[in-house]
Amino acid sequence: MAFLLKRRTVVPGFGLSLGLTVLYTCLVVLIPLAGLFVKSWALPWAEIGEILSAPRVVASFKLTFLTSLIAASLNLVFGLLVAWVLVRYRFPGKSLLDALVDLPFALPTAVAGITLTTLYARNGWIGQYLEPYGIKAAYSQLGIVIALTFIGLPFVVRTVQPVLEDLDPESEDAAYSLGAGRLQVFTKVVLPLLWPALLTGFALSFARALGEYGSVVFIAGNMPMKTEVVSLLIVTRLEEYDYAGATTIAAAMLLMSFVVLLIVNLLQWWSRRWQAA
Amino acid sequence: MSIAVNGIVKCFGAFTALDRIDLEVKTGELVALLGPSGSGKTTLLRIIAGLEFADAGRVLFDGVDTTSRPVRDRNIGFVFQHYALFKHMTVFENVAFGLRVRPRKTRPTKSEIRDRVERLLALVQLEALRNRYPSQLSGGQRQRIALARALAVEPKVLLLDEPFGALDAKVRAELRAWLRRLHDEIHVTSVFVTHDQEEALEVADRVVVMNQGKIEQVGSPEEVYHRPASPFVYDFLGHVNIFHGRIEDGKVQIDASTEGSPSDKTEANASPRRIYVRPHLLDIDHVPGGNGTFRAKVRDIRAAGPVVRVELVSDWNQVVTVEISHERHLALSLKEGADVFIRPREGKVFHEDYAI
Amino acid sequence: MNGIGTNTALVKSQPLVRTHESKWAKWGLTLLAFGFLGLFLLLPLAAIFSEGLKKGWSAYWTALKEPEAISAIKLTLLVAAIAVPANLVFGIVASWAIAKFEFRGKQILITLIDLPFSVSPVISGLIFVLIFGLQGYLGPWLREHDIKIIFAVPGIVLATVFITFPFIARELIPLMESQGRDEEEAALSLGANGWQTFFLVTLPNIKWGLLYGVILCNARAMGEFGAVSVVSGHIRGMTNTLPLHVEILYNEYQFVAAFAVASLLALLALATLALKKILEWKVRSESEARP
């Protein structure tokens, strides 16, 4: 391992620690993931194309992307709002609220799923008020959006919060002293500085929504062509012992998540560009 | 223990941090490695300590090659620039650490450890703080604890990296004098790194001036200050005025030319020279007189401090700094804007090739 | 749970409160934020306990004392007891290599460690089915030797280890990086050996960050649903973890029982959040400028 070292140090244990790390990472992450791609690569291209262009698969990809996009957008707006309020204002119960923002991270997705379904069902606490207006929340695409918004909620808040805290209040003061109005200061001074964090939070929330299973599967209703998300479709194929189908869809899905991850990294690099100057 | 460094080379990528360094430190000496940041002084110190590895060259302790001996077996005491105190341990535990980690065979008993730590805390005058945590100490106190911790293992060599770098001016001056006294008391071979020439000149027995990975000069503080071996040393050890000119029969002849371009007045056979003159080696007078006298206009006078610092502009628009005593200042009753004459008292010549 | 989202909150200090908005805007925005969080966070939380206790405490207790519930609790604890220590050791080892040394390929390694965060839970389960399942690479061999991994406890453990793989390493790497190498070098210069340096100097310096990672890792290990669901086979009393048990009860219309068990997981989540908050405060003091 020593040949990898760029600079020798007196701190011991490089070979041992890196060796173990690489070994464990290969065993737990790299080999299993590679297995997925090898398996789907083994299929002829025509079959891959056939699997991915089936109407049911296309519909579920469309649904997943659309609902994830809507949920991430909702989180973008409300995440900024929550981060803003948590950073800028002082009010009783603030640190409690701050801690609670992470609830969707900590609450098992199955619990979130059955709870949201119960809340938004026709006779649920919230569903009963939507029913008279003809809004069907649970077992519909709206339900998927609700579940995805719930699980993606902390991402935007937690990426924007530290940036907002670090924001130099003097640049805002400077803008006010130069005669800018409140809205102008927000759109011309604050927002440009927050954009990278907002976009990163948005992308993370979107990526999480794409692969979400537990919270969606209960509230979605899981009707093929209508409310069947990709991760559910994979499970369905698996339960039908259609390994080729499940694997191909999963590989396609995984590639898309990696693209989103790549975008996140590019955004983070982009967000650092003025820090270096 | 004496230290010898032979032909040490160290590169970080394309950057040469140390370029064939040779150095000897005698037993019981207190040596300063002085230089600007990036001169390689800290790297050299860390190589002596065994915290860094040289690409080539050898380090010898008492004539024995220790180049490949790991740091823990070198019997050195190292004081880190930011102290590197163990923040989860009390002052006492910090100082005792080096004794407690010894293998059982050589480990002192509990009471011996306690006695030795107490003695060291007394030496650094911090007995009362034995149960405090590093975060509860001032910078100067942390520095002294770091020193006590390094001394606890009874090192044959004490190495200090910018020991006063992170302290404010007053504490710095106090600790400087204290370190000098401490060294006189315990007499362990010591090397410390600093970028502050005053610190090096005041504390060390010998000063090693370093620049761009090379040693420029080694000598006593008096030597390096009064007889600098290179323009760099002259410039680095205090403010200096640079003129073009010659020295003839020990008399300074300054060319009234723009600094940087040789003047036509220079005789054909005499090569152009630079003259380095410290501000206190210039004098001001209202009348011309003596060799090398030239006219200048007073631009600024700073009379706060032990000497009066006068900034003047010569006829050829060079800014010249002169330091005179308060008495002289009173006698001259200088005013800003006044036309006066500057007379060099003494100068030192270097070839242009040495240009900084 | 996502490390990219959580660890940024770690190294923060108290925000500056300074506003130019009018009182009305301030209150309006605060109320709006409260409304949103109330609707999306507080209401579901309240609903879990309310539904679980709908038929009173005795029905609640009965649901929890059922043998199948007990065995689900046991299995969940077992899985966490294997996955968390495994990733704990890995997290320490990996962050030691990454934070204390400069080496080629470091960025690739960090990306690989982060990878499970961006893999859908369902896919995380699927990859193990593809290796160890009957149709998988090792399936025939495993069947010959009568070893069951998929639809058995080992599969659940594997999927959980994969899902929780990055948690502890992700918390420790930035923390160790912020602490540098100085204290380790000091310990070595004082004659300590490598293990002494690690146990006496490094470990005490990262203990709160480590605990933080363990808490998050544990919460995810106990609560994971998607990945475990794919590999478990849902054999009652055998391969059911708590989240899977919740699903089965819910699908059988045993709502009170489902929410009673769900409330256990919700309590775990709340405890996690409380501990997380406390530890964030502790970690902050760990990563603050060295003395």
Side-chain angles (χ1 to χ4, degrees):
Chain A
M1 289 288 164
F3 66 93
L4 289 169
L5 209 53
K6 280 186 190 159
R7 192 173 154 189
R8 212 172 139 205
T9 62
V10 289
V11 179
F14 175 69
L16 181 69
S17 62
L18 187 66
L20 281 176
T21 305
V22 170
L23 180 72
Y24 190 77
T25 307
C26 283
L27 281 180
V28 174
V29 178
L30 206 56
I31 294 174
L33 275 178
L36 176 76
F37 285 105
V38 171
K39 196 101 181 171
S40 57
W41 243 244
L43 291 174
W45 281 101
E47 203 181 332
I48 293 179
E50 206 176 299
I51 291 170
L52 292 180
S53 61
R56 189 173 164 189
V57 177
V58 173
S60 84
F61 267 101
K62 267 190 192 160
L63 173 76
T64 307
F65 265 83
L66 192 71
T67 49
S68 299
L69 207 60
I70 296 172
S73 309
L74 281 174
N75 280 326
L76 185 72
V77 175
F78 286 102
L80 174 61
L81 172 74
V82 171
W84 182 273
V85 168
L86 284 177
V87 172
R88 291 296 173 104
Y89 306 148
R90 208 161 261 176
F91 50 87
K94 178 170 150 165
S95 57
L96 197 71
L97 208 60
D98 188 47
L100 212 58
V101 167
D102 284 326
L103 183 71
F105 282 157
L107 195 68
T109 50
V111 176
I114 65 165
T115 310
L116 291 173
T117 312
T118 307
L119 279 176
Y120 288 92
R122 255 187 310 161
N123 53 355
W125 289 0
I126 300 173
Q128 59 182 315
Y129 298 106
L130 300 174
E131 174 79 3
Y133 302 100
I135 302 169
K136 194 170 174 244
Y139 315 121
S140 71
Q141 300 181 349
L142 178 61
I144 301 174
V145 171
I146 291 169
L148 295 182
T149 308
F150 174 83
I151 53 120
L153 189 148
F155 288 100
V156 177
V157 181
R158 291 302 185 225
T159 45
V160 171
Q161 218 173 1
V163 181
L164 206 50
E165 280 169 6
D166 281 348
L167 219 60
D168 185 4
E170 281 189 358
S171 57
E172 275 169 78
D173 291 345
Y176 282 109
S177 76
L178 295 167
R182 257 174 231 133
L183 205 63
Q184 282 175 313
V185 170
F186 183 75
T187 54
K188 294 208 158 90
V189 178
V190 179
L191 216 48
L193 291 170
L194 291 184
W195 262 125
L198 278 169
L199 286 175
T200 306
F202 174 85
L204 287 173
S205 161
F206 180 67
R208 172 71 200 258
L210 283 182
E212 181 54 22
Y213 176 70
S215 60
V216 175
V217 71
F218 296 97
I219 203 168
N222 307 331
M223 293 275 294
M225 306 297 295
K226 284 200 181 123
T227 56
E228 188 180 48
V229 294
V230 176
S231 47
L232 180 73
L233 186 61
I234 295 171
V235 173
T236 310
R237 288 283 147 89
L238 207 54
E239 280 169 357
E240 292 163 353
Y241 301 105
D242 177 6
Y243 286 89
T247 309
T248 307
I249 298 170
M253 181 77 186
L254 206 53
L255 279 178
M256 286 174 202
S257 322
F258 289 167
V259 170
V260 176
L261 187 76
L262 189 74
I263 294 171
V264 173
N265 282 334
L266 286 175
L267 284 174
Q268 278 170 347
W269 171 79
W270 180 66
S271 73
R272 273 187 225 114
R273 86 209 129 104
W274 53 59
Q275 287 170 10
Chain B
M1 182 144 66
S2 70
I3 307 168
V5 169
N6 289 340
I8 289 286
V9 176
K10 176 72 182 175
C11 299
F12 296 116
F15 173 71
T16 307
L18 293 174
D19 188 3
R20 283 159 302 177
I21 295 287
D22 293 301
L23 181 67
E24 299 250 359
V25 179
K26 292 193 258 318
T27 305
E29 231 183 352
L30 177 55
V31 167
L33 298 180
L34 173 67
S37 58
S39 60
K41 54 194 191 304
T42 294
T43 308
L44 179 58
L45 189 80
R46 287 171 62 88
I47 286 175
I48 294 172
L51 290 170
E52 203 84 63
F53 303 94
D55 298 332
R58 295 188 306 159
V59 176
L60 301 114
F61 283 1
D62 269 343
V64 180
D65 192 343
T66 54
T67 317
S68 55
R69 199 188 287 175
V71 55
R72 56 184 296 249
D73 301 328
R74 287 198 188 196
N75 204 1
I76 52 120
F78 199 95
V79 177
F80 290 79
Q81 187 178 1
H82 301 287
Y83 322 126
L85 291 176
F86 306 127
K87 48 188 172 295
H88 60 287
M89 297 182 196
T90 62
V91 163
F92 184 94
E93 288 165 338
N94 262 285
V95 179
F97 183 88
L99 301 172
R100 287 179 173 171
V101 295
R102 284 194 185 167
R104 194 153 291 144
K105 277 181 290 176
T106 55
R107 192 188 308 155
T109 65
K110 271 205 169 114
S111 64
E112 278 167 7
I113 291 177
R114 197 178 51 239
D115 288 349
R116 197 184 304 174
V117 173
E118 287 298 339
R119 257 203 325 278
L120 280 161
L121 288 177
L123 184 72
V124 298
Q125 300 155 2
L126 289 174
E127 307 99 301
L129 302 179
R130 64 175 73 77
N131 292 323
R132 297 268 187 94
Y133 285 92
S135 59
Q136 298 166 307
L137 305 179
S138 71
Q141 290 168 338
R142 283 176 200 170
Q143 177 58 270
R144 284 188 276 165
I145 293 303
L147 194 58
R149 184 180 68 175
L151 290 173
V153 293
E154 293 179 328
K156 294 282 177 344
V157 174
L158 185 61
L159 305 165
L160 307 100
D161 185 9
E162 295 273 4
F164 314 115
L167 303 170
D168 58 56
K170 192 166 173 292
V171 183
R172 229 177 148 115
E174 281 169 18
L175 270 181
R176 214 186 274 169
W178 176 79
L179 178 68
R180 181 66 248 183
R181 284 200 307 276
L182 186 79
H183 184 261
D184 293 341
E185 215 170 297
I186 57 177
H187 249 85
V188 58
T189 311
S190 308
V191 180
F192 74 99
V193 155
T194 180
H195 63 269
D196 181 340
Q197 85 271 2
E198 232 178 277
E199 204 165 280
L201 299 180
E202 209 174 290
V203 181
D205 296 327
R206 276 199 308 151
V207 179
V208 177
V209 186
M210 294 185 66
N211 182 37
Q212 295 183 343
K214 288 194 164 117
I215 291 178
E216 295 272 342
Q217 188 175 5
V218 182
S220 70
E222 291 74 23
E223 270 166 0
V224 295
Y225 187 79
H226 292 295
R227 287 189 297 286
S230 71
F232 174 81
V233 179
Y234 212 119
D235 191 42
F236 193 70
L237 294 177
H239 190 87
V240 66
N241 296 298
I242 303 169
F243 302 105
H244 278 269
R246 291 150 293 159
I247 292 182
E248 285 166 355
D249 307 328
K251 301 277 166 65
V252 180
Q253 201 66 47
I254 290 171
D255 289 343
S257 65
T258 315
E259 204 280 317
S261 73
S263 100
D264 358 303
K265 281 182 201 166
T266 313
E267 288 158 39
N269 59 346
S271 58
R273 307 284 172 98
R274 283 182 172 200
I275 300 180
Y276 295 79
V277 186
R278 295 212 188 277
H280 70 271
L281 295 179
L282 290 173
D283 197 9
I284 297 176
D285 212 337
H286 286 299
V287 290
N291 272 322
T293 302
F294 61 91
R295 205 168 56 183
K297 197 185 273 290
V298 178
R299 193 164 83 167
D300 191 33
I301 303 170
R302 298 277 152 193
V307 294
V308 180
R309 187 178 270 256
V310 187
E311 217 175 81
L312 308 99
V313 182
S314 72
D315 283 351
W316 60 92
N317 268 329
Q318 182 183 348
V319 177
V320 181
T321 308
V322 177
E323 279 172 9
I324 54 175
S325 67
H326 282 274
E327 291 77 12
R328 181 81 183 139
H329 178 232
L330 276 176
L332 288 168
S333 63
L334 290 177
K335 292 260 156 44
E336 281 174 30
D339 280 316
V340 292
F341 292 90
I342 298 177
R343 184 174 55 232
R345 297 178 193 182
E346 198 186 309
K348 194 161 169 60
V349 155
F350 295 102
H351 289 284
E352 281 265 341
D353 314 357
Y354 281 174
I356 304 159
Chain C
M1 242 184 272
N2 188 303
I4 307 165
T6 51
N7 64 34
T8 43
L10 273 182
V11 195
K12 281 294 121 216
S13 54
Q14 265 302 306
L16 234 143
V17 178
R18 234 165 115 169
T19 50
H20 288 277
E21 291 95 84
S22 70
K23 224 173 178 172
W24 288 110
K26 214 167 123 174
W27 280 108
L29 290 174
T30 310
L31 277 179
L32 201 58
F34 256 102
F36 176 74
L37 293 180
L39 190 68
F40 269 90
L41 298 180
L42 286 174
L43 209 58
L45 203 54
I48 298 168
F49 293 98
S50 153
E51 293 288 327
L53 292 167
K54 214 172 194 171
K55 296 207 175 123
W57 284 98
S58 68
Y60 182 85
W61 284 125
T62 314
L64 294 186
K65 279 192 300 196
E66 244 191 308
E68 278 160 15
I70 299 284
S71 78
I73 292 174
K74 278 186 185 158
L75 180 60
T76 302
L77 291 175
L78 174 73
V79 169
I82 299 170
V84 175
N87 285 329
L88 171 81
V89 173
F90 163 74
I92 293 173
V93 170
S95 51
W96 178 270
I98 288 170
K100 302 286 179 195
F101 302 94
E102 294 302 319
F103 57 91
R104 276 174 268 273
K106 188 166 171 172
Q107 210 46 52
I108 298 173
L109 187 61
I110 294 176
T111 310
L112 277 180
I113 291 175
D114 270 344
L115 214 51
F117 276 147
S118 50
V119 175
S120 163
V122 170
I123 298 176
S124 311
L126 172 69
I127 55 177
F128 290 103
V129 174
L130 290 180
I131 294 176
F132 300 109
L134 278 182
Q135 311 263 322
Y137 295 108
L138 300 178
W141 186 85
L142 289 171
R143 191 162 60 172
E144 254 170 52
H145 293 79
D146 203 25
I147 303 170
K148 246 182 123 45
I149 290 182
I150 298 305
F151 306 146
V153 175
I156 297 176
V157 172
L158 274 175
T160 308
V161 167
F162 177 89
I163 285 280
T164 58
F165 174 78
F167 281 87
I168 294 171
R170 214 63 199 102
E171 297 307 332
L172 289 186
I173 291 167
L175 183 62
M176 275 203 195
E177 274 175 348
S178 77
Q179 290 176 339
R181 277 193 300 253
D182 272 14
E183 286 187 42
E184 282 78 15
E185 286 182 351
L188 291 165
S189 79
L190 291 166
N193 66 31
W195 293 109
Q196 284 173 323
T197 304
F198 174 74
F199 283 107
L200 298 176
V201 175
T202 311
L203 200 56
N205 272 336
I206 56 163
K207 59 178 186 293
W208 297 120
L210 189 64
L211 197 55
Y212 185 93
V214 166
I215 298 288
L216 296 187
C217 181
N218 179 63
R220 184 65 191 259
M222 290 190 170
E224 177 50 27
F225 174 70
V228 169
S229 162
V230 171
V231 294
S232 109
H234 302 89
I235 307 163
R236 286 193 155 206
M238 294 281 290
T239 61
N240 257 357
T241 61
L242 276 177
L244 296 177
H245 190 56
V246 169
E247 184 201 17
I248 289 185
L249 291 172
Y250 185 84
N251 286 342
E252 288 174 348
Y253 305 103
Q254 300 191 44
F255 294 132
V256 170
F259 278 100
V261 177
S263 73
L264 274 188
L265 290 167
L267 284 176
L268 171 73
L270 289 178
T272 302
L273 291 184
L275 279 170
K276 185 171 171 288
K277 198 77 187 160
I278 296 168
L279 287 172
E280 266 166 25
W281 179 72
K282 293 269 188 192
V283 173
R284 204 166 290 156
S285 65
E286 261 181 14
S287 61
E288 245 153 43
R290 292 186 305 279

